[in-house]
Amino acid sequence: MTESQRAANLMDAQDKAVALFEEIERDLIRPGITEKTLNEEIYQLGFDRYGIKTHWHKRVIRSGPNTLMPFSENPPDRVIEENDILVVDLGPVFEKWEADFGRTYVLGTDEHKLKLRDALEPIWKSVKAKYRENPDMSGEQLYDIACEAATQDGWDFGADIAGHLVGHFPHERIPQDRISLYVAKGNKSTMNTAGRDGFKRHWILEIHLRDRVHKYGAFYEQLLTVD
């Protein structure tokens, strides 16, 4: 398989994830149900419509104050409210190729939640542009750029990583290591390098924002290295 074929497979997986998220937003997201119920409905939709049997990481559905919790945490289940903010983060596997896709939704018209949600994509694009200027940068350098972009826009960066590898399932990992293959402090290695399989590594860029005043967070992620 060529490098271009691998990139095309990753983009195809992401395109399918985009379609899945469009259906989730249109048909499933609503107030009055719990995060757990929505999570179960999302799994069933993915299985029925797209044949998704495997998610390479846990499905994350968080609303309100739960949006502030780190990925590794498992906060108590919560009922989604009328005027809520909601994060959906999925890692569906399509024909052995991983997607990793995250979006933030606002139910209602709260101006502060809408402002936070609407800040995500422009910041993501600005960080990507900085990466494109220097694809040989390290994971730590890109993490610092993401944090600075959030701060300049008036937010706190809400996580200890700003991305990670993605690839053919299961992608390359180092057990108990949350630095070497992540966009994170301490990763001094260039992101523009080959993996153990000899192929170019592909990366996800994550933007985690926190509204320090109103006490909720927002999230946006997708492929960084494939257009």
Side-chain angles (χ1 to χ4, degrees), residues 1-218:
M1 182 175 292
T2 66
E3 292 281 7
S4 62
Q5 287 171 326
R6 292 179 75 254
N9 285 333
L10 285 169
M11 181 53 71
D12 181 64
Q14 178 163 287
D15 288 344
K16 290 172 180 174
V18 170
L20 171 61
F21 270 66
E22 289 173 351
E23 293 197 45
I24 290 168
E25 181 179 18
R26 185 189 69 219
D27 298 334
L28 300 184
I29 292 177
R30 62 201 187 277
I33 62 170
T34 66
E35 296 167 345
K36 181 180 179 181
T37 296
L38 179 57
N39 198 324
E40 291 168 350
E41 291 180 352
I42 285 172
Y43 176 82
Q44 196 61 49
L45 174 67
F47 180 79
D48 292 343
R49 296 279 290 122
Y50 298 90
I52 301 167
K53 298 178 181 178
T54 302
H55 291 253
W56 69 266
H57 68 68
K58 69 180 180 182
R59 300 184 303 279
V60 175
I61 314 296
R62 292 180 182 165
S63 61
N66 285 352
T67 59
L68 295 172
M69 302 297 287
F71 176 88
S72 59
E73 296 292 323
N74 295 295
D77 195 17
R78 181 178 180 275
V79 175
I80 299 165
E81 299 177 354
E82 290 283 347
N83 206 33
D84 228 332
I85 188 166
L86 176 75
V87 165
V88 179
D89 175 12
L90 304 179
V93 177
F94 298 94
E95 298 175 358
K96 294 297 184 180
W97 290 92
E98 299 169 345
D100 199 14
F101 203 75
R103 289 294 186 265
T104 298
Y105 304 98
V106 173
L107 289 72
T109 58
D110 183 285
E111 63 178 317
H112 302 293
K113 293 183 176 76
L114 291 169
K115 181 180 179 181
L116 179 61
R117 180 201 66 187
D118 292 345
L120 288 162
E121 185 175 3
I123 291 174
W124 190 94
K125 288 181 176 178
S126 73
V127 176
K128 177 181 178 178
K130 291 290 187 181
Y131 168 79
R132 289 299 197 192
E133 291 173 4
N134 178 23
D136 289 321
M137 71 172 60
S138 69
E140 179 172 277
Q141 286 175 303
L142 187 58
Y143 180 78
D144 288 342
I145 288 169
C147 291
E148 182 180 0
T151 301
Q152 288 181 345
D153 205 48
W155 315 103
D156 292 333
F157 197 83
D160 60 356
I161 68 168
H164 53 79
L165 290 188
V166 71
H168 191 265
F169 177 73
H171 68 258
E172 180 183 356
R173 295 188 185 186
I174 303 174
Q176 310 305 316
D177 184 338
R178 284 269 293 177
I179 294 176
S180 300
L181 303 180
Y182 292 83
V183 180
K185 281 286 190 184
N187 183 358
K188 308 289 189 180
S189 300
T190 174
M191 297 172 64
N192 189 25
T193 187
R196 291 175 181 169
D197 59 5
F199 288 107
K200 172 183 169 61
R201 285 174 172 157
H202 285 287
W203 298 85
I204 293 288
L205 172 62
E206 305 178 359
I207 298 298
H208 304 253
L209 300 181
R210 285 187 175 184
D211 185 324
R212 70 179 73 90
V213 175
H214 299 97
K215 307 300 183 186
Y216 39 71

